[in-house]
Each structure stands twice: as C-alpha cells, then as structure tokens.
Amino acid sequence: MRLFWIFLGLALLLLIPFLIWGNSMAQTFSQEGAVNWLEQYGAWAWAAGMGLLMCDLVLPIPGTAVMAALGFVYGPLLGGLIGFGGSFLSGSAAYVLCRALGRNAAVRILGEKDLAKGERLFSRVGGWLVVLSRWLPLFPEVIACMAGLTRMSARSFHIAMACGSFPLGFVFA
C-alpha cells in the first residue's frame, strides 16, 4: 500500500509546478510560442529544445509542444531525433537520480514490503510501464523515478525508454 502512496505522492509533487506555472508555461510554449522561442537560439535551438525537455522533469513544460516545435524548426527527421534524444535523456536522468539514492533510501521511502512489490512489478511489466508512460502527461517522470527507486535493470529500462521515446519524438515532430 505504501508503494501506491509513494507513487501518488510523486505524481502530486510533480503536479505542483503545473498548478503554479501551468497556464503561463502553456501560453509561452504553445505551438507558435515554442517555435518562436526555439528560433531565437539560432544554431543552438536543438540544445535549447533538449534542455526544455530535460526541464520537464521539474517544470510544467509541455514536452509534446517542444517536440512539435523541433519538427517545425529542423524538419520531421532531425526534429524527431532531437525530440527523441531530449525525451530519452530526461527519463534517464530521473531514473539515474532515483537509482543513485540507493537501496537503503528506497527501503526508508517505500518500506521493505512495498519495495519488494515494486521490484516484482518492474521486473514483470516495468518495460511496458516505461514505454507506455512516455505518451502520457506527468507519468513519464513518475514511472522513471519509480523504476530507478525499485532498481529496475538499467538495460531493460533504457531499452524500454528508447522504445517509448523514439516514436514519440517522430510523431510529434
């Protein structure tokens, strides 16, 4: 049960910036706004786009609008690759940061019993959770954090991350 509450708590924690800055971020990074914002960085627009996708971990930046803007600025192929890269790096950062907390921290946060449940869940269907979560708002960060906390295999996580992020980047670009 504690696993559920931690999952819910993470979701709510990540939702707070949306409640505070969501409207202004949505206006700033509307489709046209995101394109204008990226174009002001000229040759470095790709880095700005990837940075925005990384910031989506803690700020209410509409990642799909950024990926679409990357498609407008760079075209669907290069924009899709950059969107994929930003999404992949963002999820990987969340995973690595939470995994770096270590098993002792995971036990303190989740408790021994719920950590074992989470480890079983992520060993059975964690790959699917990671792939599918990339397409949902808020859940990509939560699932990536939970995968790191429950110490999902890094290889499995990154393969699933690539499988979810690759088509996402191209669909929106």
Side-chain angles (χ1 to χ4, degrees):
M1 189 65 172
R2 193 173 185 184
L3 182 63
F4 169 77
W5 291 112
I6 295 296
F7 181 84
L8 185 63
L10 270 173
L12 291 174
L13 184 67
L14 292 169
L15 188 62
I16 290 170
F18 282 95
L19 297 174
I20 296 171
W21 299 295
N23 286 336
S24 66
M25 289 293 197
Q27 290 171 354
T28 302
F29 294 108
S30 65
Q31 187 58 57
E32 188 176 308
V35 171
N36 292 336
W37 194 87
L38 287 176
E39 284 178 339
Q40 72 183 346
Y41 286 93
W44 290 96
W46 65 271
M50 288 182 79
L52 283 173
L53 292 171
M54 291 285 295
C55 288
D56 190 30
L57 283 172
V58 293
L59 294 174
I61 296 170
T64 55
V66 172
M67 288 181 212
L70 286 166
F72 277 107
V73 173
Y74 289 104
L77 182 60
L78 187 54
L81 284 172
I82 297 167
F84 157 67
S87 177
F88 185 87
L89 287 174
S90 177
S92 294
Y95 171 83
V96 167
L97 288 171
C98 287
R99 188 172 173 123
L101 290 174
R103 181 158 176 79
N104 289 339
V107 169
R108 280 193 303 268
I109 293 169
L110 298 173
E112 197 70 55
K113 183 179 164 187
D114 282 321
L115 178 59
K117 284 181 187 176
E119 289 170 338
R120 283 192 305 276
L121 175 69
F122 275 90
S123 70
R124 282 191 337 265
V125 296
W128 285 109
L129 288 173
V130 171
V131 168
L132 297 173
S133 74
R134 303 312 298 165
W135 293 83
L136 301 170
L138 192 64
F139 283 100
E141 297 84 6
V142 174
I143 294 295
C145 286
M146 293 302 290
L149 212 53
T150 60
R151 306 192 61 76
M152 179 181 176
S153 152
R155 181 175 186 264
S156 297
F157 175 81
H158 287 99
I159 289 171
M161 178 64 62
C163 289
S165 296
F166 191 77
L168 181 73
F170 286 96
V171 164
F172 283 98

